[in-house]
Amino acid sequence: MGRKMGFVVDSNRCIGCHSCSMACKNYNQLNPDITWRTVYDIKEDTYGQPTRITMSLACNHCDIPACKEACPTNAYEKREDGIVIHHEERCIGCGMCVYACPYNVPQFDKEKKKVGKCHLCYERLDNGQSPACVSSCPTQAIYHIDTTSLGDEFAKSLPGFPDPEITKSTTRFIKPSIVRKL
Amino acid sequence: MHELPLVIFTVFSQIAVGAMVTLWIIDLKGGVTSNKIGKGLSISIFVIALVAILSSVFHLGQPLEAFRALVNVQTSWLTREIWLFSLMLLTMIGYIFTWSKKYENKRKIVGGVSSLFGLIAVMGSAMIYVLPAMPAWNNFSPIFFFVMTGVLLGPLYVSVVLYFFDKESMNIWKVAPLMALVYAMSSFFYITVLLSGTGTLETTANNIMSHPMFVYRGVFSWIIPAVVLLPFFFFKVKRKPAFMLLAIVFTIAFAGEIIGREIFYNTIVELDINQVD
Amino acid sequence: MKLKRRTFLKGAAATGALVGLGATQTEFPFQGLMKVDGSDQTTKKVFQNACPRNCYDTCSMLTTVEDGVIQFVEGNPQNTYTNGTICVKGNVYPRTVYSPDRIKYPMRQKGRGSGNWERISWDEAYTEIAENILKIKKEYGSTLPICLNKYSGNFEIMHYGIEGTMSSIGYTTRATGTPCWPAGIDAQTFDFGTILNSDPEKMQKSKYIILWGVNPAWTAVHSMNFIEAAKANGAKVVVIDPILTNTAGKAHDFIQIKSSTDGALALGMAKYILDNGLFDQQWLEKNSKGYREFFGYLDNNITLEWAAEKTGVSVDVIENLAREYATTKPANIWIGYGMQRHTNGGQNVRAIDALAAITGNVGLEGGGANYAQLDSWGFNYHAMIHPPPEGSEGEANRPVNMNNFAADVLAAEDPPIKMMWIAGRNPVQQDPETTLIKKAFHAMDFVVTADLFMNKTVELSDIVLPVTTPFETPGVNVSYWHYWMTLNEQAIKPLHESKSDVEIAMGLSEKMNELEPGSCTYPTSGDLNEWVGKEFNETILEQFGMNTWEEIKDGPVKMKNMEVAWKDGKFRTPSEKYEFYSEEAEQFGHHPLPVYVEEMKSTEDHPYRCITPHWKLSIHSQFQDLDWMEAINDKPYVEIHPELAARHHIKADDLVKVYNEIGYVTVPAKLTRTVQVEEVVIYETWYKNLNYNVNYTVKAIPADMGEKATGMPGIAFHDNFVNLEKV
Ligand SMILES: Nc1nc2c(c(=O)[nH]1)N[C@H]1C(S)=C(S)[C@@H](COP(=O)(O)OP(=O)(O)OC[C@H]3O[C@@H](n4cnc5c(=O)[nH]c(N)nc54)[C@H](O)[C@@H]3O)O[C@H]1N2
Ligand SMILES: Nc1nc2c(c(=O)[nH]1)N[C@H]1C(S)=C(S)[C@@H](COP(=O)(O)OP(=O)(O)OC[C@H]3O[C@@H](n4cnc5c(=O)[nH]c(N)nc54)[C@H](O)[C@@H]3O)O[C@H]1N2
Ligand code: SF4
Ligand code: SF4
Ligand code: SF4
Ligand code: SF4
Ligand code: SF4
Ligand SMILES: [Mo]
């Protein structure tokens, strides 16, 4: 089986600081209302005792990418290493991928009149660097990895994350541990 | 998301296909007595379909690059839809030709082919919305409702045109009130099913019902065609409905479908982080 | 794609406008990935920068500049505290620099607050300011009617040139004190002799960490890395806060304390430690003064039941916490600034310090009662120190209380205050009693503000001067938390007509001397890169292990031997011991011992405490106004417990008016069980498109301490009581 590059989201270490999300914008120089990585608050009572916990999500570089299937122009490419790349120059801004992705990932850029999404900073990976978001996380709560190498201790989903089976999301999660309120 | 070009595209293309199929069927049964009218009607249907396609281009961020959308026949329903509508348009050119040349047999064959492409195209454009990402659409409903638009408005349209030229002999307007009833009942059923669901399904249903235009949509597309036209069945009214009456019912139902489609696009709730239960 | 995203900022930089976003695509249809073309062959250079905000972390940054335009700002991995990362605010810097909202040239407002701004030249601006200064001097015989208010917009060392600007025209009135951390500083000064914390990177050596009234997940993100490291090494983490913060979400245990009662908790713990003999007798004998008196106070005055009742924390929990803390070594307490913003805040800090002292955690690697430090700040302040012009009237500057600024400015007499110079400060947004602050501004004859953005303070000024971002002017930075020093290089040319505060001082000096020779002593020229060098002296070079100051150009350097504060046991108190019993405290009107001082209580009309802590997406009034940040969040909220909300028939997202006798804010409700029922929480910050400011309701109530070390007591920001009303 080929490699499947994807993200590990360690919600046990994530402090919800949004560095990753803004680092992506900083590095990719995205237009103001576009965000390719989003930090979500997990609903506070998900694990019973109310708490503040977070997860940071970008494209899940799915095995069966719904975005790619829906795209009439073949603007999406699934690389051999599993990264799903959006080729902006082929995109006609029809928005089908925006409808199709179950995880709200591709975003329509009103300035460019095209869609864009996380490309796992493939050009940085090809250069031996980490993705901008990963290298900006102060607590190493996200990282990229060949997810075929990961065992069962990594969950495929966290509460609030849409069904990963729809598109065979490659994102893997580490569950948050829950603070004990005394 | 504001999707006016898509609203126009889907409703117009569905009217065109509905009308095409109607025309083809009544032609099979010899219901079109004048070639001139047949030709005129098919040209008008062609124009409606063309308007639909042109409008769809304005939905694109890059309208001038629309041609790129032709390349993903393997998996993209949008690509398929464009090809299918293109095939319908192409064969319709032949169809118009057969009307003007009075090739009767060929006309029935070409008309059938064109109708078939049209029907599949409508279903194809509905398939675009059958997505796991959109739970309220991820079922038979887009196909059903898209076809319903054609079935409600297509025959009405053909009927109105034939009336105008005083050539309506088959009473195809009678399809409309029946379909309006089926449409109303199935919509009621659909919303009830959504409401009994959770999360995005329920939210979608609530969005639909609380949409400010929802009432108009119901009255225009379902109640008015049924209430106005059904008496002509039951009370054995010998007279046919007047042309003006049919034209008004068509216009109102058409408005109802435009509103309905706007609601379709504006009330959908996609799977979203933290929305899943 | 790789190229195209680069075009955006260049366009913005070239035109100073938002036109030309997103390059046009004219490549051949159906082509695959784009080839590298000429536009990729640019000059690329990486510069060193430092984030100068009022933030624990003072990050070392690396800035990638292509063709004179910033492309990417990231953390510098040479600094092991920053560790190659910067926070959400640091990552927004490219947008700070190229924001279309930046003030681009000097402007004059016709009618304060009218919004009727006109562009003027720097020469016109200098002339008008100089003439006003000279006029005041002539009319009042001194420059005392001129008042400077500068605080924490930019803590880079050369920015003390702002104070220098004022010194060089004569004796002036100065907003004195700090709204930030003074009560805690005084408390630690009484106890230890000064503030001094261990290198925060050493937190990873702790076995037990108490995060006490501090929210590093938002306010000091890099420290969370060391806390996570400690956890991985088996340490236990406890958070004590009225709010279950994102920091608390990462802890093992969370203790939700009633605000302002931390002293009671600490004393209860101390009592348990005393009763169970868990204290470090040897350390106390050797290093402390007055521990017997302190123990006597515990014996006679403190019970665990009392502590439990005060704090809302049960006796069991207090006992358990005390036992764990006293028996797990090394144990580190991080005392936050949030918890000392109370009328008993300083006293509460003293009680916590005492816990660290009696358990022998002071001077221990991975231990301590860590608050802040200023030991790495021994620069020359060359940009700041300038003599008054010859023949200046008066003897010294006149202080007014920064923490009661409005009232003090309005009350000043002989001479009254007529002109304000505001730089690196946003009083209309950040000070308590906004309504009164506005009144003070309106009472002025002339207000000059130097800033980057059109904020609420600029709106009430007559002249605004556009200043540079850190990327446009050189400097040098240190932190009040870690021990790194970072050079800040000029990475790009100043945008528009912006100038650094020091250049402004030079320009003003030139104009003043032109109009009245000898009226200003500030140098009228100088190479700012050389000026950076002038900030260094032998001592600081030695402390940082440098031979020449230029070595800082090779990357950030860390001060030596700061791993463990007070390791040598040489305290800087009068007795050179840790002082449980402080005569100095007594001199400043406090009890000599860390006794409990009653907290402020709610009233019938204003039954709920309103805490206004710091917001994750801003440093005070900075950053949240930028459109990149608005994409993450564009509206504030008040956090209300569902039970309290129900009491007022408030549902999620309902607009709520939070009010008291001095003002109100109207904000949507966010219902959450992470806050206490009787306390609501609103975060302080500034949104450019909203008329939102929590300080309309905050009174300028002084905290108990701050006068000794900072000249003025702090502000009890969180002793703010309000009522709620659904709008
Ligand atoms: N993102 C961000 N970072 C910042 C800043 C910012 O504005 N935004 N500001 C910087 C500045 S100037 C400062 S001073 C620091 C402040 O840094 P912190 O001290 O970490 O931050 P605060 O938000 O002021 O307060 C911290 C916590 O104190 C709690 N608190 C309030 N009252 C009490 C009490 O009586 N007892 C206890 N135990 N806890 C209490 C609050 O609930 C809050 O969670 O952060 C710096 N870093
Ligand atoms: N309700 C409530 N209010 C609070 C607090 C709270 O907890 N609750 N916290 C308080 C605390 S801890 C603090 S420290 C204060 C902070 O209050 P301030 O020191 O006023 O804080 P900032 O908003 O960071 O910065 C002020 C201004 O400096 C400008 N500036 C930035 N760089 C430069 C520069 O290089 N030159 C010049 N001339 N200007 C520059 C910024 O644009 C900004 O407008 O707020 C206090 N206010
Ligand atoms: S930067 Fe890291 S810790 Fe911060 S929100 Fe992103 S993943 Fe979480
Ligand atoms: S997350 Fe969405 S955009 Fe990313 S690969 Fe999967 S379907 Fe495509
Ligand atoms: S918006 Fe672009 S990428 Fe998305 S489906 Fe349409 S053409 Fe493909
Ligand atoms: S991998 Fe790159 S493109 Fe994807 S979210 Fe991270 S920074 Fe953005
Ligand atoms: S605001 Fe603080 S944490 Fe963020 S970049 Fe600046 S110094 Fe670093
Ligand atoms: Mo502060």
Side-chain angles (χ1 to χ4, degrees):
Chain A
M1 222 176 19
R3 290 197 299 154
K4 288 180 191 171
M5 292 306 289
F7 291 108
V8 170
V9 174
D10 183 348
S11 278
N12 195 32
R13 288 185 74 100
C14 178
I15 58 174
C17 68
H18 298 263
S19 291
C20 48
S21 162
M22 196 58 82
C24 174
K25 209 148 167 163
N26 170 2
Y27 175 70
N28 292 299
Q29 300 293 340
L30 300 179
N31 278 330
D33 47 1
I34 302 296
T35 18
W36 287 354
R37 176 172 280 286
T38 310
V39 180
Y40 293 91
D41 288 335
I42 299 175
K43 277 188 189 161
E44 69 178 37
D45 46 9
T46 298
Y47 294 94
Q49 140 84 52
T51 182
R52 296 192 189 192
I53 39 174
T54 45
M55 59 180 161
S56 165
L57 301 174
C59 174
N60 300 301
H61 300 281
C62 307
D63 252 7
I64 309 173
C67 53
K68 180 175 188 295
E69 300 211 326
C71 177
T73 68
N74 276 334
Y76 287 95
E77 174 196 345
K78 176 105 180 140
R79 297 212 315 182
E80 273 184 13
D81 59 4
I83 302 178
V84 177
I85 292 178
H86 172 255
H87 293 296
E88 190 181 282
E89 69 284 359
R90 293 184 199 157
C91 173
I92 57 171
C94 70
M96 290 306 133
C97 52
V98 178
Y99 276 134
C101 170
Y103 316 98
N104 266 334
V105 168
Q107 291 194 5
F108 185 76
D109 185 328
K110 288 190 209 101
E111 305 273 358
K112 291 183 173 168
K113 301 204 180 304
K114 292 186 176 207
V115 145
K117 73 158 194 82
C118 157
H119 52 282
L120 224 156
C121 285
Y122 69 89
E123 74 286 3
R124 282 173 70 95
L125 295 194
D126 295 350
N127 253 332
Q129 291 168 290
S130 296
C133 55
V134 167
S135 69
S136 193
C137 173
T139 57
Q140 302 101 47
I142 38 171
Y143 47 93
H144 57 293
I145 196 164
D146 176 1
T147 52
T148 52
S149 69
L150 297 176
D152 289 345
E153 67 276 24
F154 294 86
K156 288 190 175 167
S157 183
L158 278 191
F161 185 75
D163 184 358
E165 288 307 315
I166 301 175
T167 56
K168 304 271 179 223
S169 147
T170 61
T171 302
R172 294 294 177 267
F173 296 90
I174 297 176
K175 286 193 205 109
S177 43
I178 303 304
V179 64
R180 191 167 60 135
K181 188 180 155 193
L182 300 178
Chain B
M1 221 181 293
H2 197 70
E3 303 282 20
L4 192 58
L6 283 185
V7 170
I8 293 174
F9 165 70
T10 52
V11 174
F12 275 58
S13 64
Q14 286 146 21
I15 295 175
V17 171
M20 177 65 218
V21 175
T22 311
L23 177 58
W24 176 62
I25 291 174
I26 57 173
D27 185 30
L28 279 184
K29 299 193 168 180
V32 186
T33 48
S34 138
N35 267 27
K36 232 180 162 177
I37 290 177
K39 185 183 164 191
L41 241 176
S42 47
I43 289 179
S44 76
I45 295 171
F46 183 82
V47 170
I48 294 172
L50 206 62
V51 168
I53 300 235
L54 282 179
S55 160
S56 76
V57 167
F58 289 101
H59 153 71
L60 302 178
Q62 314 285 335
L64 295 179
E65 299 188 38
F67 61 89
R68 286 176 189 270
L70 296 168
V71 298
N72 189 8
V73 188
Q74 296 95 311
T75 62
S76 167
W77 278 107
L78 184 61
T79 300
R80 291 173 188 164
E81 176 204 44
I82 297 168
W83 278 114
L84 287 166
F85 274 118
S86 307
L87 288 173
M88 176 192 161
L89 280 180
L90 271 177
T91 48
M92 272 201 78
I93 293 173
Y95 187 57
I96 293 165
F97 188 74
T98 55
W99 271 110
S100 46
K101 292 286 169 184
K102 304 182 184 149
Y103 296 148
E104 240 177 78
N105 289 332
K106 286 183 190 161
R107 188 170 79 213
K108 284 165 187 165
I109 297 167
V110 181
V113 173
S114 193
S115 298
L116 194 67
F117 279 137
L119 261 178
I120 308 176
V122 167
M123 294 190 211
S125 71
M127 280 309 288
I128 289 177
Y129 304 98
V130 180
L131 296 165
M134 306 287 186
W137 287 349
N138 194 26
N139 45 47
F140 192 64
S141 67
I143 299 175
F144 179 77
F145 291 126
F146 278 21
V147 170
M148 277 319 283
T149 303
V151 176
L152 178 71
L153 292 177
L156 259 186
Y157 172 77
V158 172
S159 209
V160 167
V161 175
L162 290 180
Y163 253 74
F164 187 73
F165 295 102
D166 205 23
K167 292 285 187 305
E168 162 74 309
S169 56
M170 300 192 66
N171 293 333
I172 27 167
W173 56 267
K174 286 186 174 172
V175 180
L178 296 177
M179 284 306 137
L181 280 181
V182 174
Y183 202 171
M185 267 147 41
S186 48
S187 298
F188 174 77
F189 180 66
Y190 173 66
I191 293 174
T192 322
V193 169
L194 289 191
L195 269 180
S196 64
T198 52
T200 52
L201 292 179
E202 197 188 352
T203 322
T204 307
N206 287 328
N207 285 351
I208 293 175
M209 289 188 308
S210 59
H211 193 283
M213 299 293 278
F214 181 61
V215 177
Y216 295 98
R217 189 260 186 287
V219 172
F220 288 3
S221 303
W222 305 329
I223 297 181
I224 288 187
V227 168
V228 174
L229 297 180
L230 274 184
F232 292 95
F233 286 79
F234 295 118
F235 302 111
K236 299 206 163 62
V237 180
K238 282 278 162 347
R239 269 191 323 122
K240 297 172 175 183
F243 162 74
M244 268 318 280
L245 192 64
L246 270 191
I248 289 171
V249 170
F250 171 74
T251 314
I252 290 178
F254 170 73
E257 285 312 272
I258 293 280
I259 297 171
R261 199 52 47 79
E262 182 67 21
I263 295 177
F264 173 84
Y265 284 112
N266 271 312
T267 54
I268 187 68
V269 181
E270 51 206 302
L271 273 185
D272 202 353
I273 319 296
N274 280 340
Q275 277 189 359
V276 211
D277 304 79
Chain C
M1 154 187 219
K2 200 176 152 199
L3 314 175
K4 292 304 168 188
R5 65 156 197 269
R6 298 302 184 200
T7 328
F8 156 56
L9 285 181
K10 281 178 201 147
T15 59
L18 264 167
V19 290
L21 285 186
T24 48
Q25 309 268 327
T26 48
E27 79 285 2
F28 192 75
F30 289 120
Q31 112 187 7
L33 268 175
M34 281 202 301
K35 289 202 314 277
V36 173
D37 66 21
S39 63
D40 217 17
Q41 287 149 21
T42 52
T43 54
K44 198 170 184 169
K45 222 183 147 216
V46 177
F47 293 87
Q48 282 196 64
N49 286 100
C51 178
R53 304 297 162 233
N54 183 353
C55 172
Y56 286 98
D57 291 6
T58 311
C59 290
S60 304
M61 309 191 290
L62 294 175
T63 307
T64 306
V65 176
E66 254 177 69
D67 288 344
V69 178
I70 296 176
Q71 305 293 354
F72 187 39
V73 180
E74 61 195 311
N76 185 344
Q78 282 172 286
N79 174 332
T80 51
Y81 179 83
T82 303
N83 200 20
T85 74
I86 45 178
C87 77
V88 59
K89 295 143 280 159
N91 272 299
V92 94
Y93 268 133
R95 198 54 179 165
T96 308
V97 174
Y98 299 108
S99 169
D101 300 332
R102 260 185 84 173
I103 296 170
K104 301 181 179 66
Y105 26 74
M107 292 192 289
R108 180 196 291 127
Q109 186 171 217
K110 290 194 195 133
R112 207 170 292 151
S114 68
N116 190 3
W117 290 95
E118 60 172 6
R119 177 178 181 170
I120 54 174
S121 68
W122 272 104
D123 191 63
E124 282 173 277
Y126 287 141
T127 308
E128 186 160 342
I129 298 167
E131 282 173 355
N132 268 287
I133 295 174
L134 294 172
K135 194 177 100 198
I136 285 173
K137 200 160 130 181
K138 204 162 162 200
E139 195 175 330
Y140 294 93
S142 82
T143 44
L144 281 175
I146 302 169
C147 176
L148 170 70
N149 192 341
K150 178 236 178 180
Y151 190 51
S152 68
N154 187 328
F155 270 160
E156 182 278 317
I157 301 303
M158 294 230 284
H159 278 78
Y160 289 89
I162 293 169
E163 283 87 337
T165 316
M166 292 292 109
S167 301
S168 61
I169 61 170
Y171 297 110
T172 54
T173 304
R174 301 290 177 90
T176 304
T178 129
C180 181
W181 53 346
I185 298 186
D186 266 16
Q188 292 221 318
T189 304
F190 297 138
D191 293 337
F192 299 96
T194 189
I195 44 170
L196 188 69
N197 63 274
S198 302
D199 180 349
E201 295 170 45
K202 287 290 164 202
M203 257 192 294
Q204 55 190 312
K205 299 272 181 189
S206 288
K207 289 289 168 212
Y208 201 85
I209 297 179
I210 301 182
L211 303 172
W212 205 316
V214 67
N215 187 13
W218 287 10
T219 61
V221 296
H222 295 85
S223 279
M224 290 304 284
N225 192 33
F226 303 106
I227 293 166
E228 285 299 323
K231 273 164 74 179
N233 290 336
K236 179 163 182 181
V237 177
V238 182
V239 167
I240 303 173
D241 204 298
I243 309 168
L244 200 164
T245 58
N246 278 78
T247 304
K250 299 288 104 183
H252 296 103
D253 288 352
F254 168 61
I255 294 173
Q256 193 154 38
I257 190 171
K258 280 192 209 152
S259 289
S260 197
T261 65
D262 304 87
L265 179 60
L267 293 170
M269 288 167 71
K271 167 81 167 167
Y272 179 88
I273 289 166
L274 171 64
D275 289 351
N276 291 279
L278 300 174
F279 52 91
D280 187 336
Q281 179 82 29
Q282 220 182 333
W283 190 92
L284 289 172
E285 289 290 353
K286 183 159 168 254
N287 295 299
S288 76
K289 174 184 161 209
Y291 81 89
R292 282 175 223 282
E293 288 89 331
F294 178 56
F295 282 174
Y297 168 75
L298 293 177
D299 261 340
N300 298 329
N301 300 66
I302 302 297
T303 66
L304 269 75
E305 290 67 30
W306 166 85
E309 211 215 293
K310 273 274 150 206
T311 58
V313 183
S314 73
V315 171
D316 285 359
V317 171
I318 300 176
E319 284 180 354
N320 200 42
L321 178 67
R323 186 176 343 98
E324 284 182 1
Y325 172 71
T327 56
T328 319
K329 290 243 166 89
N332 171 88
I333 302 179
W334 180 352
I335 303 171
Y337 309 141
M339 65 138 294
Q340 48 94 53
R341 296 191 186 114
H342 293 282
T343 52
N344 59 358
Q347 206 65 26
N348 289 344
V349 172
R350 286 204 70 197
I352 299 170
D353 287 347
L355 272 180
I358 60 174
T359 52
N361 270 303
V362 173
L364 209 61
E365 182 178 62
N370 295 294
Y371 184 72
Q373 66 90 13
L374 289 170
D375 272 28
S376 65
W377 291 68
F379 295 96
N380 288 339
Y381 298 92
H382 162 264
M384 172 166 90
I385 297 168
H386 299 281
E390 252 171 65
S392 289
E393 285 298 316
E395 268 148 32
N397 295 324
R398 168 174 63 173
V400 294
N401 186 352
M402 183 182 281
N403 295 338
N404 196 21
F405 186 63
D408 271 22
V409 163
L410 289 166
E413 276 178 52
D414 291 332
I417 294 170
K418 288 287 161 195
M419 168 178 166
M420 282 203 268
W421 183 283
I422 316 278
R425 183 79 174 112
N426 189 353
V428 180
Q429 195 71 27
Q430 291 307 127
D431 276 359
E433 306 198 0
T434 313
T435 310
L436 202 59
I437 288 277
K438 285 177 153 175
K439 198 172 157 201
F441 271 75
H442 282 296
M444 293 298 106
D445 286 349
F446 191 53
V447 180
V448 181
T449 299
D451 210 303
L452 293 143
F453 295 100
M454 189 51 76
N455 61 35
K456 295 287 164 192
T457 296
V458 176
E459 280 175 18
L460 291 188
S461 309
D462 300 304
I463 290 212
V464 63
L465 305 174
V467 295
T468 46
T469 63
F471 306 91
E472 297 159 303
T473 190
V476 59
N477 296 68
V478 286
S479 151
Y480 50 75
W481 179 235
H482 62 65
Y483 287 94
W484 288 90
M485 180 196 290
T486 310
L487 181 68
N488 185 62
E489 296 178 304
Q490 181 176 347
I492 54 167
K493 290 206 199 85
L495 258 70
H496 318 298
E497 290 185 11
S498 63
K499 289 183 194 297
S500 81
D501 293 273
V502 166
E503 288 170 307
I504 292 173
M506 290 174 172
L508 179 64
S509 182
E510 192 173 345
K511 180 58 72 181
M512 288 193 57
N513 283 302
E514 186 187 308
L515 296 177
E516 190 185 304
S519 62
C520 181
T521 63
Y522 213 90
T524 52
S525 66
D527 178 339
L528 293 190
N529 284 303
E530 281 172 23
W531 274 42
V532 174
K534 295 183 188 195
E535 291 294 351
F536 290 81
N537 52 48
E538 281 307 315
T539 319
I540 202 164
L541 287 177
E542 200 188 308
Q543 285 173 328
F544 282 84
M546 289 190 281
N547 296 314
T548 65
W549 78 270
E550 275 95 350
E551 285 176 28
I552 187 86
K553 292 180 181 169
D554 299 335
V557 287
K558 189 165 163 181
M559 192 168 163
K560 309 289 167 213
N561 305 320
M562 304 313 289
E563 288 77 13
V564 188
W566 311 118
K567 194 178 184 174
D568 55 7
K570 289 196 194 115
F571 295 93
R572 298 184 206 163
T573 52
S575 65
E576 296 186 1
K577 302 231 183 250
Y578 179 93
E579 297 195 354
F580 289 98
Y581 192 98
S582 165
E583 273 116 18
E584 270 191 328
E586 208 167 15
Q587 281 159 25
F588 279 88
H590 314 296
H591 196 286
L593 290 171
V595 302
Y596 190 68
V597 168
E598 283 298 313
E599 74 282 5
M600 247 180 102
K601 310 225 168 43
S602 61
T603 63
E604 205 174 309
D605 289 344
H606 305 112
Y608 313 118
R609 187 185 283 274
C610 175
I611 313 185
T612 56
H614 298 190
W615 172 235
K616 65 177 165 183
L617 302 179
S618 71
I619 291 278
H620 307 295
S621 64
Q622 306 193 59
F623 300 115
Q624 175 64 81
D625 56 301
L626 297 166
D627 48 13
W628 278 18
M629 209 61 105
E630 287 176 323
I632 297 180
N633 164 282
D634 61 1
K635 69 171 201 294
Y637 47 79
V638 52
E639 293 178 343
I640 309 181
H641 194 281
E643 266 177 46
L644 178 58
R647 220 182 278 168
H648 290 269
H649 310 290
I650 293 165
K651 291 191 296 297
D653 297 325
D654 281 350
L655 271 186
V656 179
K657 183 171 165 184
V658 180
Y659 66 95
N660 59 17
E661 60 272 41
I662 68 159
Y664 67 89
V665 261
T666 310
V667 262
K670 177 172 175 175
L671 304 195
T672 170
R673 290 177 200 278
T674 56
V675 301
Q676 304 192 87
V677 181
E678 304 295 326
E679 298 186 350
V680 297
V681 179
I682 320 183
Y683 300 102
E684 55 105 340
T685 189
W686 171 60
Y687 295 84
K688 72 168 188 261
N689 296 320
L690 302 177
N691 199 6
Y692 162 76
N693 184 348
V694 292
N695 282 316
Y696 275 104
T697 69
V698 177
K699 279 174 261 177
I701 301 169
D704 53 347
M705 293 185 190
E707 214 178 328
K708 174 175 163 53
T710 69
M712 297 287 171
I715 306 176
F717 278 110
H718 305 317
D719 290 335
N720 179 27
F721 295 94
V722 298
N723 209 334
L724 306 177
E725 192 182 292
K726 186 176 156 175
V727 180

